[in-house]
Amino acid sequence: MKIASMFFETKKEMPKDAEMISHKLLIKGGYVSLSSSGVYAYLPLFLRVYKKVEKIIIEEMDRIGGQQLLLPVLTPKELWDETGRWNDFGSEMFRLKDRKDRDYALCPTHEEVITDIARKSIRSYKQLPQIWYQIQTKFRDEPRPRSGLLRVRQFEMKDSYSLDTNTSNLERAYNKHREAYIRMFKRLGIDLTIVEAASGLMGGAKSEEFMAISDSGEDRIALCNKCDYSSNMEVADTKSNDYNFEDSELKEIHTPVKGDVETVSDYLNEDRKRFIKSILIITDNKPVFLLVPGERDIEEKKIELIFGEKFRYANDKEINQYTGADKGYISPINLDIKVYADTSLKDAKGMISGANKNDFHIKGINIKRDMKDIEFVNIKTVRENDNCPVCDSGKLLIKKCIEIGHIFQLGTKYSASMKAMYLDNNGKEKPIVMGSYGIGLGRVISTIIEQHNDENGIIWPISIAPFSIIIIPLNIKNEKIMNKAEELYALLKKDHEVMLDDRDLRAGNKFKDADLTGIPVRIIIGKKFIETNEIEISIRNSTEKITVKPTDLLNVVNEIIEDKKGLCKID
RNA sequence: CGGGGCGUAGCGCAGCCCGGUUAGCGCGCCUGCUUUGGGAGCAGGAAGCCGCAGGUUCAAAUCCUGCCGCCCCGACCA
């Protein structure tokens, strides 16, 4: 396309509201335009990138036997009531009423819709397995949209759903998706890590997230420096069973120092490792004790995974009422309160915690001996340099990252509550076993920019660049230059996506725009062409300049592009 | 929802404390000329409900009240 007549509008200055590099470049390069908080218009240049991403996703989904469909975005309340998510989604769901005053939701995700379709069409095991997917706009009323396209209220998502007869078939569908995702992201030029994740509002058993490591990401993951262990901090674990001290009788000790574990351990001159932090929370109006090693804190996310968002910390009055002592002097010892202890405390012996009596602690605690109603769960914080929970000598690294894909083994959560059943080969009715798999297209594109940019702008991998080539005639008033530019444009256009910068601007402007918008291959026709009949080719992510004769140009350009394509190719 | 910041021309900003000409500046835009290898120069020009509503005042972009919008930091997700 010829730029002079295109919708091509870059900005000279960085947008003041943007913080993240991808956000800045998307705005500055004229790719997107903010409509309202968390809602963006995709401008022509962006849509070209978007379509390419979409194409790669579709190709890989089709490869694993996915069938594309398109589900409605406008859905009645009744559908969501069946799974209880009309309530569960809370204010994150966009809701509206029709003229008859009936409630509707703009879909934040499509499990209910797909399950509804499944129950209407699937009858027999002979119709399974199925993989259905769509690329569709989702609506989520995020509390705080931010970071350009990373966190928005309206966004496009590739969501697929697998329908299977049993769990092992579900696993197969899940693994197919996993492989497809790896291929897609490779083709998109994204460097990523797959981590173990929490399922959250989706429910279900296993889930993994596709994380692109980036300092501007909102998530944190723990990675082992030796083996391939990687996990979202929400579920990360560490090996630390060194709380197995000498066993002894319980004994009260006088600790007239008010304060936390640090204060008391200093006073007693005891290692912090010997302490158990006892924290009282209230959930369902009942008190529950949480126990973690004294040297660690509670990871609130993990608590939420166990109790939902219904838990809260007990206040001073409640602490006293349930334990008979003040904060700092409590523990589950001799109390009839349910205990959730961190897994690392499983074999803990010779430990110290509160005596449920002000100014006293108790020592010699043997968890298994002294606590009755106890369950061991992973609730402690994980830190950089902790031991890997899997291998022998690995240490954990903590990294920030962007979540671009998430795959879930849902199981029968939706099919059971919505009665999506099939008849097995014994004529017995069973719920369909489901999986759900998402990729955020806007996040994918932002991530690519985060991972491929320099101080001058975006550096698109050729697989998704809006155009592969930009021809820059440096002086459009010079006939010889302009004729050659038009000639090359016509020639290259046959096999490539080409932009011709036919604007009457000086060289600097054109170079800046070419850099900013990130077009991979640049063909410059300028003074050199007039003087020596030579044309210059430069490549966006290198400083190398290639000078060619016009007759060789086509071959050289083809080679460069083939070479670039190779980087994103698979198989 | 808690904390912070900002709304003045398409973009980036000054003016606001301390009310008082015709509301400025840079970029962009339009016209003409010159210029053409890293965001050119000169000349002329268009463009503003100073976020909205109310109040104080002879007089409000400026002071007061309320509201709205946008961004950033926290709790949530693709």
Side-chain angles (χ1 to χ4, degrees):
Chain A
M1 293 198 84
K2 298 185 179 181
I3 296 186
S5 49
M6 265 176 76
F7 186 142
F8 182 93
E9 204 191 327
T10 56
K11 296 193 192 306
K12 207 159 177 181
E13 278 159 291
M14 278 293 187
K16 64 159 183 175
D17 286 339
E19 204 78 6
M20 215 171 164
I21 188 70
S22 58
H23 186 193
K24 287 180 180 173
L25 294 177
L26 281 169
I27 302 278
K28 189 168 187 243
Y31 278 90
V32 298
S33 167
L34 180 73
S35 173
S36 69
S37 179
V39 181
Y40 283 87
Y42 297 167
L43 305 180
L45 223 44
F46 184 89
L47 197 64
R48 297 182 74 99
V49 175
Y50 176 88
K51 290 281 180 196
K52 293 189 176 180
V53 171
E54 192 179 53
K55 185 161 175 274
I56 289 175
I57 291 175
I58 289 173
E59 282 170 11
E60 294 301 334
M61 287 309 301
D62 289 352
R63 247 180 90 91
I64 61 167
Q67 301 161 79
Q68 192 175 9
L69 41 65
L70 192 60
L71 301 170
V73 203
L74 186 65
T75 50
K77 171 176 186 279
E78 289 69 30
L79 192 58
W80 298 90
D81 277 339
E82 292 192 50
T83 55
R85 290 212 292 183
W86 180 266
N87 287 324
D88 292 349
F89 263 106
S91 47
E92 196 162 315
M93 188 182 246
F94 276 105
R95 296 154 205 262
L96 64 160
K97 284 180 185 291
D98 71 3
R99 62 168 75 203
K100 293 177 184 158
D101 210 37
R102 280 196 293 239
D103 289 306
Y104 283 82
L106 295 178
C107 281
T109 175
H110 280 83
E111 281 78 11
E112 280 80 356
V113 183
I114 207 90
T115 308
D116 182 47
I117 300 207
R119 72 181 164 187
K120 285 176 181 160
S121 62
I122 303 291
R123 310 255 167 273
S124 152
Y125 72 98
K126 290 176 189 164
Q127 291 169 283
L128 299 174
Q130 294 287 331
I131 293 174
W132 296 339
Y133 77 97
Q134 64 168 344
I135 294 170
Q136 171 70 285
T137 306
K138 303 282 187 262
F139 294 86
R140 291 183 192 174
D141 195 356
E142 289 287 337
R144 183 157 91 79
R146 79 183 98 146
S147 308
L149 298 183
L150 272 200
R151 190 172 208 76
V152 286
R153 300 194 299 166
Q154 170 180 339
F155 60 97
E156 282 61 44
M157 177 161 123
K158 186 290 296 175
D159 46 321
S160 41
Y161 305 89
S162 64
L163 310 176
D164 281 287
T165 51
N166 59 41
T167 314
S168 66
N169 288 339
L170 164 62
E171 263 168 44
R172 198 176 56 191
Y174 181 89
N175 287 329
K176 274 188 181 178
H177 274 88
R178 202 173 188 276
E179 292 310 311
Y181 277 29
I182 291 170
R183 289 174 58 94
M184 280 174 207
F185 292 129
K186 168 106 201 289
R187 291 178 64 187
L188 292 165
I190 295 178
D191 183 25
L192 63 83
T193 306
I194 302 174
V195 305
E196 201 184 311
S199 299
L201 208 52
M202 289 297 173
K206 181 174 177 173
S207 97
E208 284 173 299
E209 289 165 321
F210 287 71
M211 296 292 205
I213 294 182
S214 160
D215 279 337
S216 28
E218 306 182 281
D219 279 86
R220 280 159 63 242
I221 58 170
L223 295 172
C224 177
N225 64 356
K226 288 261 168 63
C227 71
D228 58 3
Y229 176 78
S230 58
S231 171
N232 194 306
M233 290 295 276
E234 294 171 18
V235 290
D237 206 352
T238 172
K239 202 185 292 166
S240 55
N241 297 345
D242 39 6
Y243 304 116
N244 198 346
F245 301 99
E246 203 172 306
D247 210 2
S248 67
E249 294 296 299
L250 286 178
K251 193 179 165 201
E252 268 183 15
I253 38 177
H254 192 220
T255 50
V257 281
K258 237 195 160 79
D260 49 19
V261 168
E262 284 71 32
T263 322
V264 181
S265 64
D266 287 350
Y267 172 79
L268 292 174
N269 200 18
E270 287 277 11
D271 194 328
R272 268 170 221 173
K273 283 187 175 159
R274 297 199 73 131
F275 284 77
I276 295 175
K277 239 181 231 180
S278 302
I279 290 140
L280 194 66
I281 61 162
I282 308 289
T283 172
D284 280 337
N285 291 321
K286 278 187 294 225
V288 170
F289 260 112
L290 302 178
L291 268 45
V292 289
E295 50 164 348
R296 288 188 185 264
D297 290 319
I298 282 189
E299 179 77 44
E300 277 190 35
K301 287 251 168 102
K302 294 179 180 174
I303 309 300
E304 278 174 27
L305 290 178
I306 300 171
F307 301 104
E309 278 164 41
K310 292 172 299 189
F311 90 95
R312 61 178 174 83
Y313 293 106
N315 59 38
D316 291 348
K317 203 179 131 201
E318 287 164 332
I319 289 177
N320 210 293
Q321 174 195 335
Y322 288 117
T323 68
D326 290 337
K327 209 186 229 169
Y329 296 109
I330 64 171
S331 79
I333 300 288
N334 295 327
L335 295 177
D336 195 15
I337 293 175
K338 168 96 188 166
V339 179
Y340 285 88
D342 187 73
T343 42
S344 58
L345 293 169
K346 218 169 224 162
D347 300 310
K349 280 188 268 197
M351 305 294 283
I352 305 169
S353 198
N356 296 321
K357 185 163 144 194
N358 281 355
D359 292 345
F360 285 92
H361 275 71
I362 198 155
K363 74 175 187 183
I365 297 174
N366 176 327
I367 284 244
K368 284 200 177 137
R369 182 191 67 196
D370 302 328
M371 298 181 194
K372 285 158 285 177
D373 192 5
I374 187 164
E375 219 171 286
F376 292 96
V377 284
N378 173 15
I379 53 172
K380 66 180 170 305
T381 49
V382 165
R383 296 180 293 231
E384 180 109 10
N385 263 329
D386 272 347
N387 292 323
C388 172
V390 175
C391 69
D392 282 338
S393 57
K395 297 281 180 200
L396 295 180
L397 302 168
I398 311 280
K399 298 270 187 202
K400 286 173 108 178
C401 52
I402 302 168
E403 180 190 344
I404 48 180
H406 200 160
I407 55 181
F408 300 88
Q409 291 185 13
L410 294 175
T412 56
K413 169 172 172 170
Y414 296 90
S415 50
S417 59
M418 292 180 65
K419 304 235 158 19
M421 315 294 273
Y422 72 95
L423 288 181
D424 72 7
N425 54 4
N426 296 317
K428 212 176 139 204
E429 192 171 65
K430 286 185 175 163
I432 298 170
V433 181
M434 298 174 59
S436 124
Y437 317 86
I439 293 178
L441 289 260
R443 280 198 183 170
V444 165
I445 296 172
S446 293
T447 299
I448 294 168
I449 299 174
E450 288 293 324
Q451 294 187 346
H452 303 271
N453 70 79
D454 64 13
E455 66 280 4
N456 295 314
I458 303 170
I459 304 173
W460 292 116
I462 201 147
S463 57
I464 52 159
F467 291 88
S468 315
I469 301 168
I470 181 166
I471 299 172
I472 305 183
L474 288 182
N475 183 352
I476 68 161
K477 290 195 176 131
N478 181 301
E479 243 176 72
K480 194 181 168 199
I481 289 178
M482 210 46 206
N483 286 341
K484 182 48 79 179
E486 292 278 6
E487 184 194 320
L488 290 177
Y489 175 61
L491 176 72
L492 291 167
K493 211 166 64 163
K494 289 181 197 157
D495 298 314
H496 304 286
E497 291 171 285
V498 189
M499 265 202 279
L500 171 61
D501 195 346
D502 56 343
R503 297 175 297 175
D504 186 13
L505 293 175
R506 296 161 62 88
N509 292 279
K510 297 188 177 186
F511 291 148
K512 289 282 182 194
D513 276 347
D515 283 342
L516 176 61
T517 50
I519 310 305
V521 178
R522 183 179 317 173
I523 294 170
I524 299 152
I525 310 168
K527 220 182 279 171
K528 222 180 279 173
F529 177 67
I530 297 186
E531 288 162 3
T532 65
N533 203 37
E534 281 173 329
I535 292 172
E536 183 180 302
I537 302 172
S538 74
I539 294 168
R540 178 62 181 88
N541 60 342
S542 96
T543 50
E544 190 194 358
K545 288 180 167 48
I546 305 159
T547 307
V548 296
K549 292 281 175 202
T551 45
D552 299 333
L553 188 120
L554 184 61
N555 282 337
V556 176
V557 167
N558 284 340
E559 242 170 68
I560 292 170
I561 289 185
E562 274 316 303
D563 190 49
K564 284 196 160 293
K565 280 185 180 162
L567 292 175
C568 301
K569 222 176 231 155
I570 218 160
D571 285 350

mmCIF file of all heavy atoms in Angstrom, chain A residues 471-500:
data_model
loop_
_atom_site.group_PDB
_atom_site.id
_atom_site.type_symbol
_atom_site.label_atom_id
_atom_site.label_comp_id
_atom_site.label_asym_id
_atom_site.label_seq_id
_atom_site.Cartn_x
_atom_site.Cartn_y
_atom_site.Cartn_z
ATOM 1 N N ILE A 471 9.258 0.313 1.019
ATOM 2 C CA ILE A 471 10.128 0.954 0.030
ATOM 3 C C ILE A 471 10.149 2.443 0.332
ATOM 4 O O ILE A 471 9.089 3.073 0.447
ATOM 5 C CB ILE A 471 9.595 0.739 -1.404
ATOM 6 C CG1 ILE A 471 9.548 -0.768 -1.715
ATOM 7 C CG2 ILE A 471 10.471 1.473 -2.417
ATOM 8 C CD1 ILE A 471 8.860 -1.089 -3.036
ATOM 9 N N ILE A 472 11.337 2.971 0.485
ATOM 10 C CA ILE A 472 11.456 4.389 0.820
ATOM 11 C C ILE A 472 12.214 5.160 -0.269
ATOM 12 O O ILE A 472 13.439 5.123 -0.328
ATOM 13 C CB ILE A 472 12.190 4.568 2.174
ATOM 14 C CG1 ILE A 472 11.468 3.758 3.254
ATOM 15 C CG2 ILE A 472 12.262 6.046 2.543
ATOM 16 C CD1 ILE A 472 12.082 3.922 4.633
ATOM 17 N N PRO A 473 11.465 5.851 -1.135
ATOM 18 C CA PRO A 473 12.126 6.756 -2.064
ATOM 19 C C PRO A 473 12.437 8.031 -1.284
ATOM 20 O O PRO A 473 11.537 8.624 -0.684
ATOM 21 C CB PRO A 473 11.065 7.018 -3.136
ATOM 22 C CG PRO A 473 9.754 6.645 -2.507
ATOM 23 C CD PRO A 473 10.010 5.804 -1.301
ATOM 24 N N LEU A 474 13.688 8.431 -1.278
ATOM 25 C CA LEU A 474 14.041 9.536 -0.392
ATOM 26 C C LEU A 474 13.612 10.902 -0.905
ATOM 27 O O LEU A 474 13.478 11.841 -0.143
ATOM 28 C CB LEU A 474 15.537 9.514 -0.080
ATOM 29 C CG LEU A 474 15.916 8.373 0.849
ATOM 30 C CD1 LEU A 474 17.393 8.417 1.183
ATOM 31 C CD2 LEU A 474 15.103 8.406 2.140
ATOM 32 N N ASN A 475 13.433 11.025 -2.181
ATOM 33 C CA ASN A 475 12.937 12.286 -2.694
ATOM 34 C C ASN A 475 11.888 11.992 -3.749
ATOM 35 O O ASN A 475 12.193 11.615 -4.865
ATOM 36 C CB ASN A 475 14.091 13.086 -3.302
ATOM 37 C CG ASN A 475 13.629 14.440 -3.790
ATOM 38 O OD1 ASN A 475 12.426 14.731 -3.814
ATOM 39 N ND2 ASN A 475 14.573 15.264 -4.186
ATOM 40 N N ILE A 476 10.639 12.190 -3.377
ATOM 41 C CA ILE A 476 9.582 11.785 -4.305
ATOM 42 C C ILE A 476 9.465 12.743 -5.487
ATOM 43 O O ILE A 476 8.751 12.473 -6.440
ATOM 44 C CB ILE A 476 8.210 11.666 -3.611
ATOM 45 C CG1 ILE A 476 7.682 13.028 -3.158
ATOM 46 C CG2 ILE A 476 8.259 10.699 -2.454
ATOM 47 C CD1 ILE A 476 6.190 12.988 -2.920
ATOM 48 N N LYS A 477 10.165 13.868 -5.404
ATOM 49 C CA LYS A 477 10.070 14.805 -6.525
ATOM 50 C C LYS A 477 11.079 14.468 -7.624
ATOM 51 O O LYS A 477 11.022 15.001 -8.715
ATOM 52 C CB LYS A 477 10.259 16.232 -6.029
ATOM 53 C CG LYS A 477 9.053 16.643 -5.196
ATOM 54 C CD LYS A 477 8.965 18.116 -4.960
ATOM 55 C CE LYS A 477 7.682 18.437 -4.212
ATOM 56 N NZ LYS A 477 7.935 19.307 -3.062
ATOM 57 N N ASN A 478 12.004 13.597 -7.265
ATOM 58 C CA ASN A 478 12.971 13.164 -8.269
ATOM 59 C C ASN A 478 12.351 12.036 -9.081
ATOM 60 O O ASN A 478 12.032 10.963 -8.553
ATOM 61 C CB ASN A 478 14.251 12.694 -7.579
ATOM 62 C CG ASN A 478 15.299 12.254 -8.575
ATOM 63 O OD1 ASN A 478 15.057 11.341 -9.372
ATOM 64 N ND2 ASN A 478 16.443 12.901 -8.550
ATOM 65 N N GLU A 479 12.184 12.295 -10.364
ATOM 66 C CA GLU A 479 11.482 11.333 -11.205
ATOM 67 C C GLU A 479 12.159 9.980 -11.284
ATOM 68 O O GLU A 479 11.520 8.944 -11.250
ATOM 69 C CB GLU A 479 11.335 11.896 -12.613
ATOM 70 C CG GLU A 479 9.891 12.103 -12.996
ATOM 71 C CD GLU A 479 9.789 12.749 -14.361
ATOM 72 O OE1 GLU A 479 10.077 12.057 -15.350
ATOM 73 O OE2 GLU A 479 9.429 13.954 -14.422
ATOM 74 N N LYS A 480 13.471 10.014 -11.410
ATOM 75 C CA LYS A 480 14.209 8.764 -11.559
ATOM 76 C C LYS A 480 13.997 7.880 -10.320
ATOM 77 O O LYS A 480 13.710 6.684 -10.410
ATOM 78 C CB LYS A 480 15.706 9.066 -11.743
ATOM 79 C CG LYS A 480 16.466 7.854 -12.244
ATOM 80 C CD LYS A 480 17.965 8.112 -12.408
ATOM 81 C CE LYS A 480 18.690 6.788 -12.621
ATOM 82 N NZ LYS A 480 20.122 6.880 -12.336
ATOM 83 N N ILE A 481 14.106 8.499 -9.155
ATOM 84 C CA ILE A 481 13.913 7.768 -7.897
ATOM 85 C C ILE A 481 12.493 7.238 -7.811
ATOM 86 O O ILE A 481 12.253 6.069 -7.522
ATOM 87 C CB ILE A 481 14.213 8.693 -6.694
ATOM 88 C CG1 ILE A 481 15.718 8.963 -6.609
ATOM 89 C CG2 ILE A 481 13.688 8.081 -5.404
ATOM 90 C CD1 ILE A 481 16.126 9.891 -5.490
ATOM 91 N N MET A 482 11.553 8.128 -8.083
ATOM 92 C CA MET A 482 10.158 7.745 -7.898
ATOM 93 C C MET A 482 9.722 6.672 -8.900
ATOM 94 O O MET A 482 8.985 5.756 -8.544
ATOM 95 C CB MET A 482 9.287 9.009 -8.037
ATOM 96 C CG MET A 482 8.022 8.943 -7.214
ATOM 97 S SD MET A 482 8.286 8.373 -5.526
ATOM 98 C CE MET A 482 6.662 7.705 -5.193
ATOM 99 N N ASN A 483 10.204 6.790 -10.117
ATOM 100 C CA ASN A 483 9.863 5.757 -11.104
ATOM 101 C C ASN A 483 10.378 4.397 -10.669
ATOM 102 O O ASN A 483 9.686 3.384 -10.777
ATOM 103 C CB ASN A 483 10.443 6.102 -12.471
ATOM 104 C CG ASN A 483 9.663 7.234 -13.124
ATOM 105 O OD1 ASN A 483 8.518 7.517 -12.736
ATOM 106 N ND2 ASN A 483 10.287 7.899 -14.093
ATOM 107 N N LYS A 484 11.600 4.378 -10.163
ATOM 108 C CA LYS A 484 12.171 3.116 -9.716
ATOM 109 C C LYS A 484 11.379 2.565 -8.532
ATOM 110 O O LYS A 484 11.094 1.372 -8.448
ATOM 111 C CB LYS A 484 13.652 3.328 -9.347
ATOM 112 C CG LYS A 484 14.410 2.090 -8.912
ATOM 113 C CD LYS A 484 14.223 0.885 -9.833
ATOM 114 C CE LYS A 484 15.066 0.958 -11.088
ATOM 115 N NZ LYS A 484 14.885 -0.246 -11.957
ATOM 116 N N ALA A 485 10.997 3.469 -7.641
ATOM 117 C CA ALA A 485 10.230 3.040 -6.464
ATOM 118 C C ALA A 485 8.913 2.396 -6.901
ATOM 119 O O ALA A 485 8.552 1.323 -6.423
ATOM 120 C CB ALA A 485 9.969 4.227 -5.547
ATOM 121 N N GLU A 486 8.224 3.043 -7.805
ATOM 122 C CA GLU A 486 6.950 2.505 -8.290
ATOM 123 C C GLU A 486 7.156 1.162 -8.983
ATOM 124 O O GLU A 486 6.369 0.232 -8.812
ATOM 125 C CB GLU A 486 6.303 3.484 -9.282
ATOM 126 C CG GLU A 486 5.821 4.784 -8.647
ATOM 127 C CD GLU A 486 4.443 4.644 -7.995
ATOM 128 O OE1 GLU A 486 3.911 3.520 -7.943
ATOM 129 O OE2 GLU A 486 3.915 5.669 -7.514
ATOM 130 N N GLU A 487 8.244 1.080 -9.724
ATOM 131 C CA GLU A 487 8.532 -0.149 -10.463
ATOM 132 C C GLU A 487 8.784 -1.304 -9.487
ATOM 133 O O GLU A 487 8.233 -2.391 -9.621
ATOM 134 C CB GLU A 487 9.757 0.102 -11.342
ATOM 135 C CG GLU A 487 10.129 -1.048 -12.241
ATOM 136 C CD GLU A 487 11.558 -0.855 -12.813
ATOM 137 O OE1 GLU A 487 11.915 0.284 -13.157
ATOM 138 O OE2 GLU A 487 12.295 -1.853 -12.848
ATOM 139 N N LEU A 488 9.611 -1.034 -8.472
ATOM 140 C CA LEU A 488 9.905 -2.078 -7.485
ATOM 141 C C LEU A 488 8.664 -2.445 -6.688
ATOM 142 O O LEU A 488 8.429 -3.598 -6.353
ATOM 143 C CB LEU A 488 11.000 -1.605 -6.525
ATOM 144 C CG LEU A 488 12.393 -1.479 -7.121
ATOM 145 C CD1 LEU A 488 13.373 -0.941 -6.078
ATOM 146 C CD2 LEU A 488 12.878 -2.828 -7.655
ATOM 147 N N TYR A 489 7.865 -1.432 -6.407
ATOM 148 C CA TYR A 489 6.634 -1.660 -5.659
ATOM 149 C C TYR A 489 5.748 -2.641 -6.414
ATOM 150 O O TYR A 489 5.272 -3.635 -5.874
ATOM 151 C CB TYR A 489 5.931 -0.321 -5.442
ATOM 152 C CG TYR A 489 4.585 -0.414 -4.781
ATOM 153 C CD1 TYR A 489 4.458 -0.942 -3.491
ATOM 154 C CD2 TYR A 489 3.424 0.028 -5.432
ATOM 155 C CE1 TYR A 489 3.221 -1.021 -2.878
ATOM 156 C CE2 TYR A 489 2.183 -0.048 -4.829
ATOM 157 C CZ TYR A 489 2.084 -0.575 -3.549
ATOM 158 O OH TYR A 489 0.865 -0.657 -2.958
ATOM 159 N N ALA A 490 5.584 -2.371 -7.702
ATOM 160 C CA ALA A 490 4.751 -3.252 -8.527
ATOM 161 C C ALA A 490 5.339 -4.660 -8.578
ATOM 162 O O ALA A 490 4.622 -5.658 -8.505
ATOM 163 C CB ALA A 490 4.624 -2.677 -9.928
ATOM 164 N N LEU A 491 6.649 -4.726 -8.645
ATOM 165 C CA LEU A 491 7.322 -6.020 -8.750
ATOM 166 C C LEU A 491 7.201 -6.828 -7.454
ATOM 167 O O LEU A 491 6.781 -7.998 -7.467
ATOM 168 C CB LEU A 491 8.803 -5.786 -9.081
ATOM 169 C CG LEU A 491 9.694 -7.018 -9.143
ATOM 170 C CD1 LEU A 491 9.390 -7.831 -10.402
ATOM 171 C CD2 LEU A 491 11.171 -6.621 -9.124
ATOM 172 N N LEU A 492 7.537 -6.209 -6.347
ATOM 173 C CA LEU A 492 7.566 -6.919 -5.069
ATOM 174 C C LEU A 492 6.170 -7.260 -4.561
ATOM 175 O O LEU A 492 5.958 -8.245 -3.865
ATOM 176 C CB LEU A 492 8.302 -6.077 -4.019
ATOM 177 C CG LEU A 492 9.801 -5.919 -4.259
ATOM 178 C CD1 LEU A 492 10.376 -4.825 -3.365
ATOM 179 C CD2 LEU A 492 10.538 -7.235 -4.015
ATOM 180 N N LYS A 493 5.232 -6.420 -4.918
ATOM 181 C CA LYS A 493 3.851 -6.587 -4.473
ATOM 182 C C LYS A 493 3.268 -7.940 -4.878
ATOM 183 O O LYS A 493 2.348 -8.441 -4.238
ATOM 184 C CB LYS A 493 3.011 -5.462 -5.093
ATOM 185 C CG LYS A 493 1.855 -5.030 -4.258
ATOM 186 C CD LYS A 493 1.285 -3.717 -4.751
ATOM 187 C CE LYS A 493 0.701 -3.839 -6.148
ATOM 188 N NZ LYS A 493 -0.191 -2.714 -6.491
ATOM 189 N N LYS A 494 3.816 -8.473 -5.964
ATOM 190 C CA LYS A 494 3.275 -9.753 -6.435
ATOM 191 C C LYS A 494 3.415 -10.857 -5.407
ATOM 192 O O LYS A 494 2.541 -11.707 -5.280
ATOM 193 C CB LYS A 494 3.998 -10.165 -7.730
ATOM 194 C CG LYS A 494 3.622 -9.301 -8.898
ATOM 195 C CD LYS A 494 4.359 -9.771 -10.146
ATOM 196 C CE LYS A 494 4.337 -8.690 -11.223
ATOM 197 N NZ LYS A 494 5.442 -8.865 -12.171
ATOM 198 N N ASP A 495 4.542 -10.863 -4.690
ATOM 199 C CA ASP A 495 4.781 -11.955 -3.741
ATOM 200 C C ASP A 495 4.835 -11.526 -2.287
ATOM 201 O O ASP A 495 4.922 -12.369 -1.403
ATOM 202 C CB ASP A 495 6.113 -12.650 -4.062
ATOM 203 C CG ASP A 495 6.072 -13.271 -5.445
ATOM 204 O OD1 ASP A 495 5.059 -13.921 -5.750
ATOM 205 O OD2 ASP A 495 7.042 -13.075 -6.211
ATOM 206 N N HIS A 496 4.854 -10.232 -2.056
ATOM 207 C CA HIS A 496 5.028 -9.783 -0.674
ATOM 208 C C HIS A 496 4.044 -8.684 -0.318
ATOM 209 O O HIS A 496 3.450 -8.073 -1.204
ATOM 210 C CB HIS A 496 6.460 -9.259 -0.464
ATOM 211 C CG HIS A 496 7.520 -10.243 -0.812
ATOM 212 N ND1 HIS A 496 7.818 -11.323 -0.027
ATOM 213 C CD2 HIS A 496 8.340 -10.322 -1.892
ATOM 214 C CE1 HIS A 496 8.792 -12.029 -0.591
ATOM 215 N NE2 HIS A 496 9.125 -11.453 -1.729
ATOM 216 N N GLU A 497 3.955 -8.442 0.994
ATOM 217 C CA GLU A 497 3.146 -7.311 1.428
ATOM 218 C C GLU A 497 4.080 -6.111 1.529
ATOM 219 O O GLU A 497 5.005 -6.106 2.332
ATOM 220 C CB GLU A 497 2.509 -7.613 2.769
ATOM 221 C CG GLU A 497 1.451 -8.700 2.641
ATOM 222 C CD GLU A 497 0.962 -9.154 3.986
ATOM 223 O OE1 GLU A 497 1.705 -9.887 4.674
ATOM 224 O OE2 GLU A 497 -0.151 -8.776 4.373
ATOM 225 N N VAL A 498 3.812 -5.128 0.703
ATOM 226 C CA VAL A 498 4.756 -4.026 0.558
ATOM 227 C C VAL A 498 4.097 -2.683 0.840
ATOM 228 O O VAL A 498 2.958 -2.438 0.434
ATOM 229 C CB VAL A 498 5.315 -3.983 -0.887
ATOM 230 C CG1 VAL A 498 6.451 -2.977 -0.976
ATOM 231 C CG2 VAL A 498 5.781 -5.361 -1.320
ATOM 232 N N MET A 499 4.841 -1.825 1.535
ATOM 233 C CA MET A 499 4.409 -0.445 1.720
ATOM 234 C C MET A 499 5.334 0.431 0.898
ATOM 235 O O MET A 499 6.539 0.174 0.831
ATOM 236 C CB MET A 499 4.577 -0.037 3.177
ATOM 237 C CG MET A 499 3.341 -0.195 4.012
ATOM 238 S SD MET A 499 3.429 0.862 5.465
ATOM 239 C CE MET A 499 4.437 -0.117 6.502
ATOM 240 N N LEU A 500 4.772 1.455 0.300
ATOM 241 C CA LEU A 500 5.596 2.431 -0.423
ATOM 242 C C LEU A 500 5.419 3.768 0.282
ATOM 243 O O LEU A 500 4.304 4.295 0.353
ATOM 244 C CB LEU A 500 5.134 2.511 -1.883
ATOM 245 C CG LEU A 500 5.753 3.629 -2.731
ATOM 246 C CD1 LEU A 500 7.268 3.471 -2.834
ATOM 247 C CD2 LEU A 500 5.124 3.644 -4.127
#
